[in-house]
Amino acid sequence: MNLPVVIDYEDGISAIDAQFHRPRRAAIHLIVENGSAALIDTGTNFSIPGVVASLKQKSIAKEAVAYIILTHIHLDHAGGASECMRLFPNAKLIVHPRGASHMANPARLVAGAITVYGESEFKRVYGEIYPIEADRIIEAVDGSTIELNGRPLLFLDTPGHARHHNCIFDARSQSFFTGDTFGVSYRELDVDGMEFVFPTTSPVQFDPAAAHHSIDRIMSYQPRHAFLTHYSRINHLTRHAGSMHELIDAHVEIAQRAREHQDRAAEISEALTDLLLNQLTKHGCRLAQVEIKELLQSDIRLNTQGLIHWLDQPTDRFKQL
């Protein structure tokens, strides 16, 4: 096994490449505080050998892992949780209250993912997902705090991408770990230190109003950095928050224009591709368009599926949550 690329930041924070489909697509974040460790998001089962090897290289014992923290339970973020709990005997799993039952009994979660990916692709990408003992699961309600060896981590309920989504504020680094709430930003798209960030509207719980509110709530803490699962640390958050608001609205407009179109998927996918290519041209991206399309094809496919699902929901859906 090749050791994954690890980026070490200040304040005891590292990003371990989850090796999900390709390098630098998904990050597992590690926080170490006086010998005690927490992992934020897990990648898939196939990511965990690399996590174990990275911890060993850092001389962090398996017994020192105190928490496995999930921003949300989509399987590119949570698929390795049961394997982590098997390997790290002292760890507690921290998860949004809406996600806890799915970690204890993952049957519905797995079935939903199979609906999106197909059974053979699901098995290839995610492997087996096992139940986690309920007494090892802690539900992180909005505004709750856990302490990692005295280091407080604050949990905020941040729907928009998913209703089971928390963002985690680390006062020590003045940073948020944002999962997918603050969008996606691949390092290949950076231009002279400026990142490019765009929303993820993947199935099945995209809610644009909630997404806008969650971004504003994050920014109310005036964070210095955001650590995105896709992919790791970004700066310039005031600028990116504005861009996220604009692009969420643009995604919604694209979906609404395609509402009555005979082939909504093709219409939305083409429009999203054009939107992101135009934005990246303004950004000064130096990659060829064919490279950009290859890099973003999975995100555009999932965003398209999520927008179609959003179009088909009752308008009062989120009033009932």
Side-chain angles (χ1 to χ4, degrees), residues 28 83 92 107 187 236 291:
I28 299 163
E83 181 68 359
K92 296 288 189 180
R187 303 283 60 79
H236 315 102
E291 294 179 88

Side-chain angles (χ1 to χ4, degrees), residues 41-45 68-86 92-111 113 122 126 128-140 164 166:
D41 288 342
T42 67
T44 72
N45 279 334
I68 307 298
I69 299 170
L70 303 180
T71 59
H72 61 301
I73 61 170
H74 290 165
L75 292 177
D76 54 329
H77 299 253
S82 61
E83 181 68 359
C84 283
M85 298 304 284
R86 185 181 74 83
K92 296 288 189 180
L93 182 78
I94 316 294
V95 63
H96 190 284
R98 289 184 180 272
S101 64
H102 295 286
M103 293 289 99
N105 180 5
R108 286 179 57 198
L109 181 64
V110 169
F122 172 84
Y126 298 109
E128 296 292 333
I129 309 296
Y130 297 102
I132 295 170
E133 300 95 323
D135 62 359
R136 297 184 68 189
I137 298 173
I138 297 173
E139 297 184 14
H164 45 79
N166 277 323

Side-chain angles (χ1 to χ4, degrees), residues 3 15 21 26 28 46 57 85 89 94 97 106 149 165 172 177 203 206 225 233 237 241 244-245 258 285 289 304:
L3 190 70
H21 291 311
I28 299 163
F46 305 116
Q57 189 179 58
M85 298 304 284
I94 316 294
N149 217 354
H165 202 301
R172 172 71 55 80
F177 295 85
F206 174 58
H225 312 291
R233 193 174 79 174
L237 297 191
M244 280 288 291
H245 284 306
C285 180
Q289 285 201 356
T304 298

Side-chain angles (χ1 to χ4, degrees), residues 150-210:
R151 179 174 181 163
L153 300 173
L154 171 68
F155 289 77
L156 298 184
D157 182 18
T158 50
H161 172 77
R163 288 176 289 177
H164 45 79
H165 202 301
N166 277 323
C167 287
I168 300 97
F169 182 64
D170 172 37
R172 172 71 55 80
S173 63
Q174 285 293 299
S175 300
F176 268 99
F177 295 85
T178 60
D180 286 344
T181 295
F182 210 85
V184 171
S185 181
Y186 296 127
R187 303 283 60 79
E188 295 93 330
L189 301 177
D190 292 354
V191 175
D192 300 329
M194 180 58 69
E195 311 91 354
F196 179 78
V197 181
F198 63 97
T200 171
T201 64
S202 57
V204 292
Q205 295 177 348
F206 174 58
D207 175 359

Side-chain angles (χ1 to χ4, degrees), residues 21 113-114 116-127 301:
H21 291 311
I114 288 174
V116 174
Y117 295 102
E119 186 164 5
S120 61
E121 180 67 3
F122 172 84
K123 293 292 187 183
R124 184 187 72 81
V125 174
Y126 298 109
R301 176 177 57 82

